[in-house]
Amino acid sequence: MPLTVPKFKDLPIKEDAPKGSAWGVFDKDDKKDVYGTLNFITPEAVLAAKEEIQTGESVVLNLPLDMPYNPCPGREKNRFELEETHPRLAARDDVCYLNTQTSSQWDGLMHFANQERREYYNGVSYEEAAVKKTDLSLGMHSLSERGGVVARGILVDFVRYAEKRGITYDTLKTYRISLTQLKEMIEDENLTIRQGDVLIVRCGLSKWIRNSKPEDEGPFDINHTHLGVDPSMETIEWIWDSNFSAIAGDALSFECIPATDGTRLKLHGYALPGWGMPIGELFDLEELSRLCEKHKRWSFFLTYCPMNIVGGAATISNTMAIF
């Protein structure tokens, strides 16, 4: 049976919780929830999602781990060495320096706190979790203990939509995808949203990254301005009321920066610490869009297996779509 949760207009349900947050909504048997909107993926939702597997084709949604070549300022590049295992053996080991935020990724619930209150989802203290590390309940390992994530994914393809309507934009500059456009794309793709769906929005940035060279500037700039979904309050309300389990895309932050109202990372503040909703960023969506167009079907079986890092803030995406 689908879960019944309050509408966005009725949040929060706790008097001391932040505006619009879902703290306490998924708590059960007096135990604080650590999974947030992933609770929308019920066993029934998983069984329904398997019906999306019809052709046996699959596609990985990860960029190569060294892409984009120029990561966000302040973050180091991923580095990889192929080292000799033993002088007497014809064998090699991978030695890696990996920042989970540098390439295709899922933001976990210890990535971004409520900035005013310095609290993570469900009131977990930033100080206790990230600084003292005495409360690691929201770490990425919790998703491994959950069994990873298996769900139905839907692709909302803005590149396709823009081409059909003669909309021109620069993937390296701010473009704000509106709620009206999201709804028009969903209607055009003949999609019906189900509780527990993973919403994936294609902006076209992964195509630019794939075609880029190490000497090219971008996709980040010093002003941190870029394209994505415009986090208006109407869009934020729609995302919660649609009961998505997670949101993702090929954009740098999923949401555009700055938003129409001039704010930055407003959706992050609602999704991660407010609802416990993972955000996927920098996905490679080019082959996925090709398969969707080939089959004229923009829904698919989706799975991701997070890195089992105790207290981890994020994970490389490890995401796959199956048709």
Side-chain angles (χ1 to χ4, degrees):
M1 293 290 292
L3 298 182
T4 301
V5 298
K7 293 290 188 181
F8 181 79
K9 63 181 178 63
D10 298 319
L11 295 175
I13 63 169
K14 289 187 172 183
E15 290 185 4
D16 61 342
K19 178 183 176 182
S21 73
W23 293 8
V25 167
F26 300 110
D27 290 358
K28 189 176 181 181
D29 299 328
D30 296 322
K31 185 177 180 181
K32 269 192 173 184
D33 174 64
V34 298
Y35 300 129
T37 52
L38 294 180
N39 284 286
F40 287 135
I41 308 174
T42 62
E44 292 80 8
V46 174
L47 290 174
K50 72 178 175 64
E51 300 304 320
E52 300 291 331
I53 302 177
Q54 299 174 19
T55 69
E57 296 165 285
S58 61
V59 57
V60 171
L61 308 186
N62 314 329
L63 288 168
L65 282 171
D66 61 344
M67 286 186 165
Y69 292 118
N70 299 299
C72 177
R75 289 175 176 151
E76 293 188 42
K77 295 181 180 181
N78 291 335
R79 302 189 301 273
F80 311 95
E81 298 292 339
L82 194 61
E83 295 193 351
E84 186 178 58
T85 302
H86 189 279
R88 295 181 181 178
L89 296 175
R92 293 279 164 166
D93 290 351
D94 289 312
V95 178
C96 310
Y97 170 84
L98 182 67
N99 183 331
T100 56
Q101 292 287 318
T102 296
S103 188
S104 303
Q105 69 197 254
W106 281 105
D107 288 348
L109 303 190
M110 282 181 57
H111 171 57
F112 191 86
N114 181 296
Q115 298 301 291
E116 292 75 28
R117 298 172 57 133
R118 293 177 67 84
E119 290 177 310
Y120 289 124
Y121 171 63
N122 235 355
V124 172
S125 163
Y126 175 83
E127 183 74 18
E128 297 296 326
V131 182
K132 295 181 180 178
K133 299 181 181 179
T134 54
D135 183 353
L136 301 179
S137 59
L138 299 179
M140 291 308 305
H141 65 283
S142 68
L143 296 193
S144 290
E145 293 170 355
R146 181 187 177 275
V149 176
V150 178
R152 187 180 84 139
I154 60 172
L155 177 68
V156 177
D157 195 335
F158 181 71
V159 177
R160 176 177 181 268
Y161 172 89
E163 289 175 351
K164 284 189 171 186
R165 286 161 177 76
I167 299 172
T168 58
Y169 64 100
D170 188 335
T171 54
L172 297 186
K173 295 182 180 179
T174 299
Y175 184 93
R176 302 173 178 94
I177 300 173
S178 69
L179 177 58
T180 297
Q181 290 173 322
L182 289 172
K183 289 182 175 180
E184 287 177 351
M185 286 183 274
I186 288 170
E187 181 178 2
D188 184 55
E189 294 173 2
N190 197 29
L191 286 168
T192 300
I193 296 170
R194 300 179 190 167
Q195 184 180 82
D197 280 352
V198 176
L199 171 67
I200 301 178
V201 179
R202 178 182 176 232
C203 301
L205 186 59
S206 57
K207 182 177 181 179
W208 183 92
I209 292 172
R210 280 286 195 175
N211 292 332
S212 68
K213 299 178 178 62
E215 60 268 23
D216 292 337
E217 294 185 3
F220 296 92
D221 65 32
I222 59 173
N223 296 314
H224 293 276
T225 59
H226 40 83
L227 82 169
V229 172
D230 189 21
S232 66
M233 288 310 302
E234 292 78 15
T235 300
I236 288 169
E237 179 175 12
W238 175 77
I239 289 174
W240 170 262
D241 287 346
S242 296
N243 293 175
F244 292 120
S245 58
I247 52 178
D250 58 350
L252 299 176
S253 298
F254 182 82
E255 59 185 307
C256 67
I257 296 179
T260 298
D261 61 8
T263 58
R264 292 170 177 262
L265 297 174
K266 182 166 67 175
L267 179 54
H268 272 59
Y270 278 95
L272 291 167
W275 308 332
M277 176 181 285
I279 301 177
E281 299 161 346
L282 286 169
F283 278 27
D284 186 356
L285 300 181
E286 299 313 298
E287 180 63 13
L288 177 64
S289 68
R290 188 192 69 78
L291 281 177
C292 287
E293 189 68 46
K294 171 185 174 182
H295 297 294
K296 301 300 178 187
R297 179 162 62 92
W298 284 265
S299 60
F300 38 85
F301 188 84
L302 180 139
T303 180
Y304 70 90
C305 181
M307 297 175 70
N308 195 350
I309 305 173
V310 176
T315 179
I316 56 175
S317 72
N318 280 345
T319 303
M320 177 182 291
I322 306 174
F323 287 80

